[in-house]
Amino acid sequence: MNMMIYGRVFLLALIGWMMTGCATQTPPSKEYLLMDTGLSNVQSQPTKAMSVQLMPIVVANYLASSEIVLVTKQGDVHRSQSNLWAEPLSPQLTRLTQQRLEKTLPNITWFGGQRLPSYAIALLNIEVDAFYADLEGMIHIVGRWQVISAMGDLSASNTFDVKSALKSDGYSTMVQTLSASWFDQVIDPMAQEIAQSFKE
């Protein structure tokens, strides 16, 4: 009899503990988007009239999840469960990059990955290997890009390896610094090289 009573008490205590655990509120997650705050100040650059298809920007697999990551110098990846990308990184970068290129190189007709013309056009491929902050307060953006002509030749290419210091702690500052560094130190120099390749 005593064993049955103890068993019932234990079962009730376990159920109570589980219900308390379920009722405990988890901290609300924050979601972030990259923003091109300098788009309105972009200076256009002259090129000949042509068409280029911006292919979807490819990010490394460890960057493809919704969690914002921090990476140590030893390669340890820390994924935040409460600080998330509101949209996967690849479509964010692709959309915002196309907007910046349309403003910077207006003589070029830019096609997105899904809007294909009926004729052969040049392709712009961008691959991102690193897009994160480390534990020492630095952001890292690493990758490469290539422009392939409509004839299949390599028209322009380069790599990028950007490091910028965070001015303060916090994920908001991290996202803002990643955004500014992407446009100012990756896309703008890329646009200048593309403009040189396709002079009027």
Side-chain angles (χ1 to χ4, degrees), residues 70-138:
L70 299 173
V71 181
T72 69
K73 290 182 178 179
Q74 294 74 32
D76 298 329
V77 177
H78 299 270
R79 299 182 182 277
S80 174
Q81 300 298 312
S82 56
N83 294 278
L84 310 172
W85 292 116
E87 179 185 14
L89 200 50
S90 176
Q92 277 195 78
L93 288 172
T94 303
R95 183 181 65 255
L96 293 171
T97 297
Q98 181 165 339
Q99 292 174 2
R100 174 64 74 111
L101 291 174
E102 287 172 343
K103 190 81 179 287
T104 308
L105 305 172
N107 290 343
I108 296 177
T109 300
W110 292 94
F111 288 87
Q114 303 302 319
R115 296 182 293 126
L116 297 174
S118 58
Y119 51 89
I121 62 173
L123 302 177
L124 171 57
N125 298 303
I126 304 173
E127 298 175 5
V128 177
D129 300 326
F131 197 87
Y132 60 79
D134 62 26
L135 300 184
E136 282 72 44
M138 299 291 294

Side-chain angles (χ1 to χ4, degrees), residues 90-186:
S90 176
Q92 277 195 78
L93 288 172
T94 303
R95 183 181 65 255
L96 293 171
T97 297
Q98 181 165 339
Q99 292 174 2
R100 174 64 74 111
L101 291 174
E102 287 172 343
K103 190 81 179 287
T104 308
L105 305 172
N107 290 343
I108 296 177
T109 300
W110 292 94
F111 288 87
Q114 303 302 319
R115 296 182 293 126
L116 297 174
S118 58
Y119 51 89
I121 62 173
L123 302 177
L124 171 57
N125 298 303
I126 304 173
E127 298 175 5
V128 177
D129 300 326
F131 197 87
Y132 60 79
D134 62 26
L135 300 184
E136 282 72 44
M138 299 291 294
I139 65 101
H140 302 261
I141 303 176
V142 179
R144 69 202 57 80
W145 61 270
Q146 308 90 25
V147 176
I148 309 298
S149 74
M151 303 300 293
D153 302 319
L154 183 64
S155 298
S157 68
N158 212 333
T159 60
F160 48 89
D161 188 348
V162 174
K163 295 179 178 65
S164 298
L166 297 175
K167 295 181 179 179
S168 62
D169 294 337
Y171 281 88
S172 291
T173 300
M174 174 184 166
V175 169
Q176 292 167 14
T177 307
L178 284 168
S179 297
S181 299
W182 175 256
F183 295 111
D184 297 342
Q185 299 182 61
V186 176

Side-chain angles (χ1 to χ4, degrees), residues 48-68:
K48 62 183 179 182
M50 59 180 298
S51 298
V52 177
Q53 181 186 1
L54 173 62
M55 300 301 292
I57 294 177
V58 176
V59 301
N61 284 341
Y62 76 97
L63 297 170
S65 65
S66 60
E67 298 96 348
I68 297 178

Side-chain angles (χ1 to χ4, degrees), residues 9-69:
V9 169
F10 176 76
L11 184 60
L12 289 172
L14 180 62
I15 291 172
W17 175 79
M18 291 176 63
M19 291 180 67
T20 303
C22 293
T24 302
Q25 291 186 348
T26 56
S29 62
K30 291 185 178 180
E31 296 187 348
Y32 300 86
L33 285 171
L34 299 168
M35 303 294 288
D36 186 359
T37 57
L39 184 61
S40 59
N41 300 321
V42 168
Q43 298 295 316
S44 64
Q45 301 182 45
T47 63
K48 62 183 179 182
M50 59 180 298
S51 298
V52 177
Q53 181 186 1
L54 173 62
M55 300 301 292
I57 294 177
V58 176
V59 301
N61 284 341
Y62 76 97
L63 297 170
S65 65
S66 60
E67 298 96 348
I68 297 178
V69 300

